[in-house]
Amino acid sequence: MTYFTFNAANRRVSRAKIPNSLDEEMDQMNTSSIQAGLSIRNGPYEEMEVDGREENCIKLKGDGLGKRKARKSAENNRVYKEESSEGDEDVPLVKRRRVAAGKAVKPVVEDDSDNEPLVSKRSQSKKSPTTVLRKPPKASETAVGESDDSDTPISTKLAQQKARIEKKAEKDAKQARKTEKQSNASSAKKSGAKEANDNNKPVAKPADKPNGVKSAATKKRQANSVKKVKPEPDDDDIPLSRKVSPKKSEAKGKAEAGPESKKLGKGKGSKKEETPADAEAEQDEEEYKWWENQALGDGTKKWTTLEHSGVVFPPPYEPLPGNVKLRYDGTPVTLHPDAEEVAGFFGTMLSSTVNVENPKFVANFFADFQIILGETGGATDKNGKKIHIKEFKKCDFTVIFDYYEAKRAEKKALPPAEKKALKAEKDASEAPYLYCLWDGRKEKVGNFRVEPPGLFRGRGEHPKTGKVKKRVLPEQITINISKDATVPPPPPGHRWKEIKHDDTATWLAMWQENVNKQYKYVMLAANSSIKGQSDFKKFEKARELKKHIDGIRKDYQRELKAELMADRQRATAVYLIDRFALRAGNEKGDDEADTVGCCSLKFEHVTLKPPSTVVFDFLGKDSIRFYDEFVVDAQVFKNLKIFKKPPKREGDEIFDRLTTVQLNKHLANYMPGLSAKVFRTYNASYTMANVLKELTVKGSIPEMIKAYNDANRRVAILCNHKRTVGAAHANQMEKMTDRIKGLKYQKWRVKQMMISIDLKIKKKRPEGYFNLDDDLTQEWIEDHQAFLVQEMRQKIEKKFQKENEKLAADGQREMKATELEERLQTVSEQEEKYETENKTKKVKPEGKGATLEKMEESITKLDQKIETLLVQAEDKESNKEVALGTSKINYIDPRLTVVFSKKFGVPVDKFFSRALREKFAWAMKSVDKDWEF
């Protein structure tokens, strides 16, 4: 009997019903005793052809399929992904760091020590010592936050914890609904009683209350306020939008904003220099606390008046000098400026080997380059003879590359005063675009710059990587603005595509880019009220799901055994989305990247390993490969076997009777606005809330930060937020190791100074107290000393240069070179001191009035710094495969982080950067330490 049929499009689909005989056949398969619910993968997976291991994979009767083909990118063992930092996708392409050929990206390590220099890697001329500082133990995802004396595997513990959290969620949902029902009944009763009293009483001015007695209205406002001294039981289950008071006195608003604004001024972010526009906006505008306005909703009208200055275009192309040309087969060729600009796009990227060595990138670029050559008249030699550019391998871009590298070096070498002047000029020209007037209120604009032309890179294995992004012209841009507002003028000789007055839209300008045909929008900044409301509603929707999650889980558990194929597929998809944080996925066109999600999984994306392991391997969001192995419930494993049963083969969909639209329409029956993506936010936030409740943190700030990160890491593992280990991780760990070794060497020198002050102290200290650490070899010490000497020299020279620039700016005579030579004498003296120390093994006391007490204090401070760095190193190593940023920024309610910060007295800037503090200002100012998700 066949279990499949064909639809109108002649595509193979599962039959509408699942016969009992098929269920019974699958039930005879082995079942698993392993607890389901977690990823079982440890570390990055490197081999692609997982289906080839027939002894481990299920082979259904009549399958007839051999080993499936791996993607081409796996066959040549090359992954064409930009080596960049975690947040690099938000950085404009022109500002991303380039990777020189044969060189690794130098990572930027955040320096938490104000007094100690960052010890970078030493010169490679000397052979590195074989003995290195022992790095902190690697805490992979199988050893997170657990003691070593436990015999229970961490994977089992996490699965058990996840099961406990899900069980608790069921109880919380029931309690939340009960509380809401009681609250609604009580409100209705009070409203009815008040209405009856109002009808029976004459209108009169309310009498003044004695001191200490509060009016009913005041009590009501306090009951609904977010910040409460004594919150009512279970009141936190009520959405925040129902708790906030509609109005507050101006004095109270300023009093509440004051402390937070002071906190925002602290930390590293506060060192950023403010532009005049920022300062003016801060002075002129009072804080708009939109989260306290109950009237805000999902109405279609977003604004009444809107004024802005439009967009900033990139500068026009500057043609290359006559001696800088593309060479074809050794011949310099002359190109039209449009074609020359495109050649320059590729020429500037020669150092980015991850792109220029990608065959797909090269093929896409050269195809577009040839089209532009045809449109602009092609190439000619110096005599005007036509040169037909047909083969990429004959193109030589090195002269162009060298020219742009020299320009970059020239710009980098500009004096600081000139750099500052250029920046001031740029800031002044862009100041009108920084803010718009939204309903008469100043709001910061986000991306007001039109992206410059260049080569599209994309993420992961994007099929259009390397294609030419054309210059955007004013004729492509639509402006959205009030009818009575002044329309910003386009550049001379141009016009806007269209002027709209759409008050239901939140964008200021839009255009369509040519590569992916996507629309680009100029929106308000992340810290604006509009963006904040979007985040607020997202997390409030996740809080609302808390009341319905038990019913949803009961329903899909029941429907996992449904007779109807559509119902069973839908239940299985919801299970995977809820339990393993898979994205729902959408259908893609032929010209789009072949990325998939749960509903669009195909036969080849899922491998089944009896008794209950499912392997997922596909291109996920942004063309990033998703590979993971999950232990699932026996019924889910059985269902996936049915969904893959022959004659299904590669290319056929697993969920052939389910679409994302159908799935989200079904979920909306449980709760208005519920869609598949809400589960990721709910599971991350609810899990984090429960993990933080269990924390009993004591100790220093670094230890509490590590405790928070451990909780965040546990959430990321439970919610399957993972990442591959970045290429820069090893270099970052090496730099951290160097910093720790530098502090140890400094501590050893201080101890030797103590001996120089008092020889008898050796007998008063434990054996080995004054010994050099084993990992500090003489070769490493000499290398480190050379680095310190060079660092000292650079600091003196830089300070001398700055002082001379200041003198010149003030119209005074600059200092002579002899002054610099005198200052550099201290460097020579330090160098000689190190040489003497290496020979005699004795260190003379440094500084005035050196005493044993001062030396002891120095050692204590150094020990604290070493301990802090060791904690940070262990934390970084533990996080290398877990996407903490993904969880913290996108899925964990920021109010939970604020609650942790206030509860344990840890500055919030230890968790949120300045940009995130601005983005989540509503979270920082709307909750206290007793708030609950």
Side-chain angles (χ1 to χ4, degrees):
M1 179 180 178
T2 178
Y3 304 117
F4 299 91
T5 184
F6 291 88
N7 61 12
N10 203 32
R11 292 175 59 187
R12 185 188 293 106
V13 296
S14 308
R15 285 196 176 274
K17 291 187 177 181
I18 301 173
N20 292 334
S21 58
L22 181 57
D23 263 333
E24 292 170 0
E25 176 187 343
M26 294 302 175
D27 283 337
Q28 295 175 4
M29 294 290 189
N30 295 332
T31 57
S32 172
S33 60
I34 303 175
Q35 189 161 4
L38 274 181
S39 164
I40 60 173
R41 178 171 68 89
N42 296 322
Y45 189 85
E46 296 179 356
E47 188 171 356
M48 289 279 292
E49 301 185 55
V50 294
D51 284 13
R53 302 179 181 180
E54 296 184 7
E55 67 274 16
N56 294 328
C57 303
I58 185 167
K59 189 141 179 99
L60 298 172
K61 295 179 181 179
D63 187 359
L65 294 174
K67 184 187 298 185
R68 75 176 177 87
K69 296 178 182 179
R71 286 187 287 273
K72 291 182 180 180
S73 60
E75 292 174 355
N76 56 24
N77 294 322
R78 186 183 296 278
V79 178
Y80 298 109
K81 179 183 176 184
E82 185 70 60
E83 299 177 10
S84 60
S85 62
E86 192 173 334
D88 194 43
E89 63 270 18
D90 296 326
V91 181
L93 296 181
V94 293
K95 294 187 178 180
R96 292 189 188 176
R97 306 186 64 207
R98 293 174 171 81
V99 185
K103 294 183 180 180
V105 178
K106 293 184 179 180
V108 179
V109 181
E110 189 173 303
D111 190 357
D112 293 318
S113 171
D114 295 328
N115 301 322
E116 294 302 321
L118 176 65
V119 182
S120 61
K121 191 174 181 181
R122 245 60 78 197
S123 171
Q124 299 297 324
S125 59
K126 295 184 180 182
K127 188 176 180 180
S128 301
T130 55
T131 305
V132 296
L133 175 66
R134 182 181 66 82
K135 293 182 180 179
K138 294 184 179 180
S140 66
E141 56 193 31
T142 56
V144 177
E146 297 293 325
S147 57
D148 296 332
D149 57 355
S150 174
D151 296 328
T152 308
I154 186 64
S155 58
T156 305
K157 286 188 176 183
L158 287 177
Q160 292 170 351
Q161 183 184 20
K162 188 169 186 177
R164 288 197 305 271
I165 290 174
E166 289 177 357
K167 193 72 176 175
K168 185 177 181 299
E170 183 179 346
K171 294 180 181 179
D172 286 351
K174 292 178 181 178
Q175 183 61 42
R177 289 196 300 271
K178 181 180 177 182
T179 303
E180 185 179 38
K181 186 176 181 181
Q182 292 173 348
S183 176
N184 291 340
S186 176
S187 298
K189 188 175 180 181
K190 288 180 180 179
S191 177
K194 183 178 183 298
E195 186 175 347
N197 290 335
D198 289 344
N199 291 334
N200 297 328
K201 289 182 179 181
V203 178
K205 183 178 178 180
D208 293 337
K209 305 292 181 183
N211 291 338
V213 180
K214 297 178 182 178
S215 66
T218 304
K219 290 181 180 179
K220 185 177 180 181
R221 281 197 298 271
Q222 289 181 346
N224 290 334
S225 177
V226 176
K227 295 192 176 182
K228 304 180 293 292
V229 178
K230 294 182 180 179
E232 295 293 329
D234 300 315
D235 183 55
D236 290 312
D237 291 332
I238 301 172
L240 185 61
S241 59
R242 298 183 185 177
K243 290 196 235 177
V244 294
S245 58
K247 293 183 180 180
K248 286 191 179 182
S249 67
E250 186 177 345
K252 184 177 179 182
K254 290 182 179 180
E256 289 179 354
E260 287 295 346
S261 61
K262 289 180 182 178
K263 288 181 183 178
L264 288 175
K266 296 179 181 179
K268 296 177 184 178
S270 62
K271 295 180 181 179
K272 184 176 177 180
E273 187 174 337
E274 284 190 339
T275 63
D278 288 332
E280 181 186 350
E282 191 172 333
Q283 291 172 3
D284 293 348
E285 295 297 317
E286 290 185 9
E287 185 176 30
Y288 174 47
K289 295 188 176 182
W290 52 263
W291 57 89
E292 295 178 356
N293 186 357
Q294 283 186 319
L296 291 174
D298 293 325
T300 56
K301 189 171 181 178
K302 301 297 190 300
W303 48 265
T304 303
T305 61
L306 175 61
E307 300 177 46
H308 59 87
S309 299
V311 295
V312 173
F313 289 93
Y317 174 66
E318 295 181 7
L320 297 172
N323 61 331
V324 179
K325 294 183 181 294
L326 169 70
R327 294 177 181 271
Y328 186 74
D329 202 14
T331 302
V333 295
T334 300
L335 305 172
H336 184 276
D338 291 349
E340 183 184 80
E341 183 180 23
V342 173
F345 295 158
F346 194 91
T348 58
M349 294 180 63
L350 291 188
S351 58
S352 181
T353 55
V354 71
N355 290 302
V356 298
E357 292 180 5
N358 179 351
K360 189 69 177 176
F361 184 92
V362 171
N364 284 337
F365 158 73
F366 193 61
D368 282 359
F369 184 45
Q370 286 185 304
I371 292 173
I372 293 171
L373 283 172
E375 294 173 348
T376 57
T380 58
D381 63 10
K382 63 180 181 179
N383 298 320
K385 183 182 177 182
K386 282 276 186 181
I387 302 292
H388 298 287
I389 299 179
K390 296 181 178 180
E391 297 180 51
F392 174 80
K393 63 181 180 180
K394 293 183 179 180
C395 294
D396 183 2
F397 298 88
T398 53
V399 178
I400 297 176
F401 173 76
D402 292 341
Y403 170 77
Y404 282 114
E405 282 293 291
K407 293 283 285 184
R408 277 192 284 267
E410 181 182 335
K411 187 176 180 180
K412 189 176 180 181
L414 286 175
E418 193 170 341
K419 287 181 181 178
K420 190 174 181 180
L422 290 173
K423 184 181 182 303
E425 183 182 348
K426 179 175 176 289
D427 290 343
S429 65
E430 293 183 350
Y433 303 89
L434 288 174
Y435 293 89
C436 71
L437 280 178
W438 187 287
D439 287 342
R441 184 182 63 254
K442 262 191 178 180
E443 293 277 8
K444 195 166 186 178
V445 180
N447 52 335
F448 56 82
R449 299 177 187 88
V450 175
E451 191 173 3
L455 300 184
F456 175 72
R457 301 191 190 190
R459 298 186 64 192
E461 301 177 18
H462 201 288
K464 294 188 176 182
T465 182
K467 292 188 72 64
V468 174
K469 293 189 302 180
K470 296 181 180 178
R471 184 177 293 272
V472 178
L473 300 175
E475 286 75 11
Q476 300 170 250
I477 295 178
T478 300
I479 298 293
N480 192 28
I481 199 166
S482 295
K483 287 183 179 180
D484 55 349
T486 302
V487 176
H494 293 275
R495 59 179 178 81
W496 301 119
K497 178 182 178 181
E498 189 179 358
I499 305 298
K500 281 185 172 289
H501 312 291
D502 187 359
D503 58 8
T504 66
T506 58
W507 52 269
L508 312 184
M510 62 170 280
W511 63 90
Q512 189 178 30
E513 52 88 19
N514 67 292
V515 176
N516 296 302
K517 306 301 180 185
Q518 293 180 342
Y519 285 94
K520 300 289 185 178
Y521 296 91
V522 173
M523 310 287 285
L524 297 188
N527 61 335
S528 66
S529 61
I530 299 300
K531 288 286 189 180
Q533 289 172 42
S534 176
D535 287 336
F536 174 80
K537 290 171 185 175
K538 178 178 81 170
F539 291 114
E540 280 300 297
K541 193 174 291 182
R543 289 184 78 199
E544 186 68 19
L545 177 56
K546 183 171 68 171
K547 302 173 186 175
H548 308 279
I549 192 66
D550 60 330
I552 294 172
R553 286 172 175 166
K554 281 182 180 178
D555 285 354
Y556 76 62
Q557 287 288 350
R558 183 184 67 254
E559 291 182 344
L560 286 173
K561 299 180 181 180
E563 181 183 4
L564 290 177
M565 179 66 78
D567 290 350
R568 192 177 290 200
Q569 286 190 1
R570 185 183 62 213
T572 305
V574 177
Y575 171 93
L576 295 174
I577 289 167
D578 180 27
R579 299 292 293 274
F580 303 113
L582 293 186
R583 287 185 169 85
N586 295 297
E587 293 182 351
K588 299 287 181 182
D590 294 336
D591 60 341
E592 294 183 89
D594 187 24
T595 60
V596 296
C598 184
C599 296
S600 52
L601 285 169
K602 294 187 178 178
F603 183 93
E604 60 270 23
H605 297 146
V606 178
T607 303
L608 304 176
K609 292 183 179 180
S612 59
T613 300
V614 181
V615 181
F616 293 96
D617 189 0
F618 56 88
L619 282 184
K621 183 181 177 182
D622 296 321
S623 300
I624 301 298
R625 182 188 178 201
F626 179 96
Y627 177 90
D628 218 331
E629 301 181 21
F630 300 118
V631 176
V632 300
D633 291 343
Q635 183 63 39
V636 174
F637 191 80
K638 169 184 168 180
N639 289 349
L640 290 172
K641 286 191 292 184
I642 293 174
F643 303 159
K644 287 196 69 174
K645 188 171 177 63
K648 274 196 179 179
R649 58 176 181 265
E650 287 192 19
D652 290 337
E653 293 182 349
I654 298 287
F655 299 99
D656 51 14
R657 287 189 173 270
L658 179 69
T659 65
T660 305
V661 174
Q662 292 170 339
L663 176 64
N664 287 334
K665 188 176 180 180
H666 167 76
L667 292 174
N669 292 327
Y670 292 98
M671 179 187 115
L674 179 61
S675 62
K677 64 182 180 181
V678 180
F679 284 88
R680 295 169 67 87
T681 308
Y682 162 77
N683 282 319
S685 296
Y686 184 79
T687 304
M688 185 67 165
N690 281 275
V691 172
L692 288 180
K693 277 184 181 179
E694 299 171 2
L695 284 183
T696 53
V697 187
K698 292 182 180 179
S700 63
I701 294 293
E703 288 172 334
M704 286 189 280
I705 294 172
K706 183 178 181 300
Y708 172 88
N709 286 339
D710 287 342
N712 192 357
R713 179 164 50 252
R714 189 177 291 267
V715 171
I717 294 171
L718 290 172
C719 298
N720 300 297
H721 297 151
K722 298 181 182 178
R723 65 177 179 183
T724 55
V725 181
H729 176 76
N731 290 334
Q732 290 173 347
M733 291 304 299
E734 184 178 358
K735 283 205 169 191
M736 245 180 183
T737 301
D738 271 350
R739 290 174 64 189
I740 295 170
K741 290 171 72 174
L743 291 172
K744 285 186 174 183
Y745 171 69
Q746 193 174 343
K747 188 171 78 169
W748 175 82
R749 290 189 75 243
V750 174
K751 289 181 178 180
Q752 299 309 306
M753 293 177 194
M754 292 171 66
I755 297 175
S756 299
I757 294 173
D758 185 3
L759 286 173
K760 296 179 181 179
I761 198 171
K762 293 184 72 173
K763 297 179 181 180
K764 301 177 184 178
R765 291 290 186 269
E767 185 178 355
Y769 179 81
F770 293 97
N771 291 350
L772 191 66
D773 287 76
D774 294 337
D775 53 346
L776 301 182
T777 64
Q778 186 59 37
E779 186 177 9
W780 183 91
I781 289 174
E782 291 177 5
D783 195 18
H784 181 63
Q785 289 170 345
F787 166 77
L788 293 176
V789 168
Q790 181 62 23
E791 185 183 51
M792 185 185 297
R793 178 178 288 107
Q794 289 175 352
K795 284 183 177 179
I796 292 173
E797 290 174 347
K798 190 173 183 180
K799 185 178 179 182
F800 178 82
Q801 183 182 1
K802 280 189 174 182
E803 289 177 359
N804 260 350
E805 288 172 0
K806 189 175 184 304
L807 289 172
D810 294 340
Q812 300 179 28
R813 184 181 297 178
E814 296 183 18
M815 294 180 288
K816 296 181 179 179
T818 53
E819 173 66 22
L820 176 61
E821 292 175 3
E822 290 178 9
R823 295 185 183 187
L824 290 175
Q825 284 296 323
T826 57
V827 178
S828 303
E829 292 170 5
Q830 186 64 40
E831 199 168 10
E832 292 174 1
K833 184 184 291 186
Y834 284 143
E835 290 177 0
T836 304
E837 290 176 4
N838 293 336
K839 292 177 182 177
T840 62
K841 304 300 179 186
K842 295 179 181 179
V843 182
K844 293 182 179 180
E846 295 177 346
K848 295 180 180 180
T851 62
L852 290 178
E853 290 75 13
K854 290 182 179 179
M855 299 294 110
E856 293 281 6
E857 289 177 5
S858 297
I859 290 173
T860 301
K861 289 179 181 179
L862 289 169
D863 281 334
Q864 290 173 351
K865 290 178 180 179
I866 291 171
E867 182 62 29
T868 298
L869 279 178
L870 286 172
V871 171
Q872 291 173 356
E874 182 182 356
D875 203 25
K876 180 177 281 291
E877 181 67 20
S878 301
N879 297 339
K880 67 179 181 181
E881 291 179 12
V882 184
L884 295 189
T886 299
S887 298
K888 182 172 68 176
I889 298 170
N890 298 319
Y891 300 113
I892 294 175
D893 194 315
R895 290 171 288 191
L896 290 170
T897 302
V898 175
V899 167
F900 180 90
S901 171
K902 293 183 177 181
K903 187 175 181 180
F904 296 103
V906 182
V908 75
D909 59 12
K910 298 296 183 183
F911 307 115
F912 290 153
S913 64
R914 175 173 177 166
L916 288 179
R917 293 199 301 275
E918 292 176 351
K919 176 182 173 69
F920 295 137
W922 61 270
M924 297 167 59
K925 299 175 184 179
S926 64
V927 298
D928 59 15
K929 63 183 181 64
D930 297 318
W931 181 86
E932 292 186 6
F933 177 77

